[in-house]
Amino acid sequence: MHLGLIGYGNITRALLDVLAREGKMPSRLTLLVRPGQAETARRIGVEVVTDAAALIAARPDLLVECAGHSAVAGTVVPALRAGIECVIVSIGALADAALHDSMIAAARAGQTRIVLPAGAIGGIDLLAALRPSGISRVVYCSRKPPLAWRGTPAEALLDLPGLTAPAVCFTGTAREAALAYPKNANVAATLALAGLGFEATEVQMIADPDISQNIHEYRVTAGAADYTIRIEGKPSPDNPKTSLATVYSVAREVMNRMREVAI
Ligand SMILES: NC(=O)c1ccc[n+]([C@@H]2O[C@H](COP(=O)([O-])OP(=O)(O)OC[C@H]3O[C@@H](n4cnc5c(N)ncnc54)[C@H](O)[C@@H]3O)[C@@H](O)[C@H]2O)c1
């Protein structure tokens, strides 16, 4: 398999470690990185490119975006149009309705697919499956240690370092969450896209000084089943905003394409 990857940050590095440990390194790997990272990336012995056109010209069988919003707009859209199947990790970017529409149009033009992995959470298979049975409510609560909310609007609302009890920093829709907290909106966006959409998915965010993990809880009320899920995600050592489970979720997407049984 020829794998394309966008970004050489926390998720990409950890993903390559998982693939190597599992004996599932793709036979060919092309990495799109920022020019300043090319030198470091070349040291791991893979093909490194610094612009979207070169990545698309290399024609990977599967492209995995592990970079951010700008990569979704700048690289994923043309790659889809060129017929390359793309796995998107920065799912919060799809809260931008214009970008979402252009991705759908590009995938249609390229006769390919956009794959949205479960990322930091689980249960997305059930949520998406329940949609035709009628979903009446999806309520999601994101609970993270106070310092994980640094650099977000929560900083202006709460005394993060001085918190002694859990404090709510956001209540609203998944659309509002994605706009106000773009770096924390991936899970809310994933739930919205699988279930009730950005306007009807309810989101609460909490800074909690009593925890060290990123806790995701959500409740689904639907025609065929109701369920509650709670995931205590361990933060990535290199980027505490990213749950380690995300890396394994992306690795699963890649490895499922190399195995006889996809599960
Ligand atoms: N779906 C989920 O549940 C979930 C969970 C965690 C993180 N994420 C998202 O995954 C993405 C990556 O996370 P991370 O922890 O690896 O971040 P990171 O900051 O450690 O790494 C991102 C890397 O991508 C590079 N990059 C950014 N834009 C680029 C572009 N246009 N072209 C090439 N390189 C580019 C950056 O320079 C950086 O090296 C983020 O957008 C994050 O929000 C999603």
Side-chain angles (χ1 to χ4, degrees):
M1 176 200 216
H2 178 189
L3 179 67
L5 287 172
I6 313 173
Y8 188 50
N10 169 56
I11 293 182
T12 295
R13 289 165 204 253
L15 170 68
L16 293 176
D17 281 349
V18 175
L19 296 178
R21 276 203 319 267
E22 294 292 307
K24 292 283 179 197
M25 276 304 263
S27 53
R28 189 177 167 196
L29 189 58
T30 307
L31 203 54
L32 170 63
V33 302
R34 298 266 199 220
Q37 291 180 307
E39 188 77 30
T40 321
R42 279 198 187 98
R43 282 190 214 126
I44 62 168
V46 300
E47 292 175 37
V48 174
V49 295
T50 53
D51 66 87
L55 176 68
I56 294 165
R59 294 219 60 86
D61 302 313
L62 181 72
L63 180 58
V64 182
E65 173 279 319
C66 311
H69 196 133
S70 73
V72 178
T75 305
V76 170
V77 170
L80 288 167
R81 209 177 292 120
I84 299 170
E85 185 177 359
C86 293
V87 177
I88 314 292
V89 182
S90 306
I91 297 178
L94 276 67
D96 175 340
L99 177 56
H100 188 211
D101 289 350
S102 61
M103 286 173 70
I104 304 279
R108 198 169 289 146
Q111 298 185 321
T112 187
R113 292 195 313 161
I114 303 157
V115 176
L116 304 181
I121 54 164
I124 290 299
D125 52 346
L126 184 55
L127 178 57
L130 290 176
R131 193 148 59 170
S133 83
I135 300 174
S136 47
R137 202 163 178 212
V138 179
V139 184
Y140 164 56
C141 176
S142 168
R143 200 178 275 272
K144 294 185 181 179
L147 295 185
W149 298 105
R150 266 190 311 202
T152 75
E155 242 177 355
L157 296 172
L158 305 170
D159 169 22
L160 293 172
L163 274 186
T164 52
V168 175
C169 51
F170 174 87
T171 306
T173 66
R175 175 90 62 206
E176 291 161 347
L179 294 175
Y181 289 79
K183 292 197 171 142
N184 290 273
N186 292 303
V187 171
T190 306
L191 289 168
L193 289 160
L196 271 184
F198 280 96
E199 315 306 337
T201 301
E202 300 164 52
V203 178
Q204 188 176 57
M205 298 184 186
I206 295 175
D208 187 341
D210 302 327
I211 58 170
S212 57
Q213 300 178 325
N214 295 337
I215 300 183
H216 305 281
E217 286 173 293
Y218 68 94
R219 169 98 190 136
V220 174
T221 312
D226 301 334
Y227 70 97
T228 304
I229 275 197
R230 175 184 163 97
I231 294 144
E232 295 170 24
K234 299 186 178 153
S236 286
D238 296 337
N239 182 352
K241 280 198 173 113
T242 291
S243 295
L244 207 43
T246 305
V247 172
Y248 287 88
S249 167
V250 179
R252 169 181 170 266
E253 285 296 342
V254 174
M255 292 191 295
N256 264 344
R257 284 168 173 77
M258 299 178 179
R259 290 175 168 147
E260 295 72 26
V261 176
I263 189 163

